[in-house]
Amino acid sequence: MGYYVTVDSGVILYVEDINPSGKKTIVFLHGWPLSHEQFEYQFNVLPAMGYRCIGVDWRGFGKSDRPMTGYSFNRLADDIKSLVDALRLKDFTLLGHSTGGAIAMRYVSRHNGYGVSKLVLVDAAAPTGFTADTASDFLKKNLNDRPQMMQDVTDGFFFQYITKPFSDWFMQMGLQAASWSTAAIIITLRDEKLYTDLPKINVPTLIIHGVHDKVIPFAQAQELNQKIRNSILVPFHYSGHGPFWEEHDKFNQLIAQFV
């Protein structure tokens, strides 16, 4: 079921809560510039296996409020803390993809892993995100032809072939976001680093990363694995930036085993 939660800055976030009576809870944080809907191929499977799956649209994206401000990793992590308090979540797995992975890491480090028993980082945009050149290109396109920017994002996202209908669906998901929040996250990914967060992550961590990722190089996953205690890295050899779809059967089985 879907509902809205007001976080402590007054912003309202959309939450998709599937199988609320599930035995274990997984909170999903999407990537830029998408929404919780990117995890459709997890939500089709994991709740039927007995898991409670909570998909969150961060501020500015999906069905959540779209304020002009509040797009730093600290603020986005604090939004998740408000959500955890509002839903009274305990002993849950926090899963973040790409920028969602960076937000998940900041949440664990900033809030001392509050409520989190396990962490899953999927092609996480960490410890660094976009280069200055990549950010500049995306910002220019965002301000002048955002649909073309989203087409470029889609074209570079997957290693495996995607159909035209899938590409159209994926693009529309990204275009649900506000243009200003889309731009703000580009700047955050350019300017904010997570090196100091790594030693503060103190929960068992599963790192999943596509070997052919053109967005966040696989070498960054290896760096996370080296610097996060009690972490394990599982390469996805037939994936780019989207193993949650490209190898979704393997992905879902791995998540179920880890959780």
Side-chain angles (χ1 to χ4, degrees), residues 220-237:
Q220 291 193 202
Q222 294 173 310
E223 183 175 5
L224 295 182
N225 184 211
Q226 292 169 358
K227 295 182 178 178
I228 296 176
R229 295 187 302 274
N230 199 15
S231 68
I232 181 172
L233 170 61
V234 179
F236 273 56
H237 293 283

Side-chain angles (χ1 to χ4, degrees), residues 111-230:
H111 296 291
N112 196 30
Y114 181 78
V116 176
S117 58
K118 294 181 180 179
L119 177 66
V120 182
L121 303 175
V122 183
D123 293 71
T128 60
F130 290 151
T131 65
D133 287 344
T134 298
S136 177
D137 181 58
F138 277 145
L139 283 170
K140 182 178 179 181
K141 288 176 179 172
N142 184 74
L143 293 173
N144 294 284
D145 189 346
R146 190 160 68 105
Q148 181 59 55
M149 184 208 76
M150 194 59 214
Q151 182 68 67
D152 293 345
V153 169
T154 304
D155 291 344
F157 205 95
F158 300 101
F159 173 67
Q160 296 195 29
Y161 170 77
I162 60 173
T163 64
K164 178 65 163 54
F166 184 94
S167 174
D168 291 345
W169 169 74
F170 196 80
M171 280 190 59
Q172 288 304 313
M173 195 191 321
L175 292 173
Q176 288 178 26
S179 58
W180 53 89
S181 52
T182 302
I185 294 294
I186 295 171
I187 294 168
T188 296
L189 286 167
R190 181 193 68 192
D191 294 347
E192 294 202 35
K193 316 300 179 190
L194 290 107
Y195 290 105
T196 58
D197 298 81
L198 304 183
K200 300 176 184 176
I201 296 174
N202 54 8
V203 295
T205 302
L206 171 63
I207 302 168
I208 293 172
H209 210 101
V211 171
H212 304 281
D213 193 336
K214 296 178 182 178
V215 181
I216 303 296
F218 183 74
Q220 291 193 202
Q222 294 173 310
E223 183 175 5
L224 295 182
N225 184 211
Q226 292 169 358
K227 295 182 178 178
I228 296 176
R229 295 187 302 274
N230 199 15

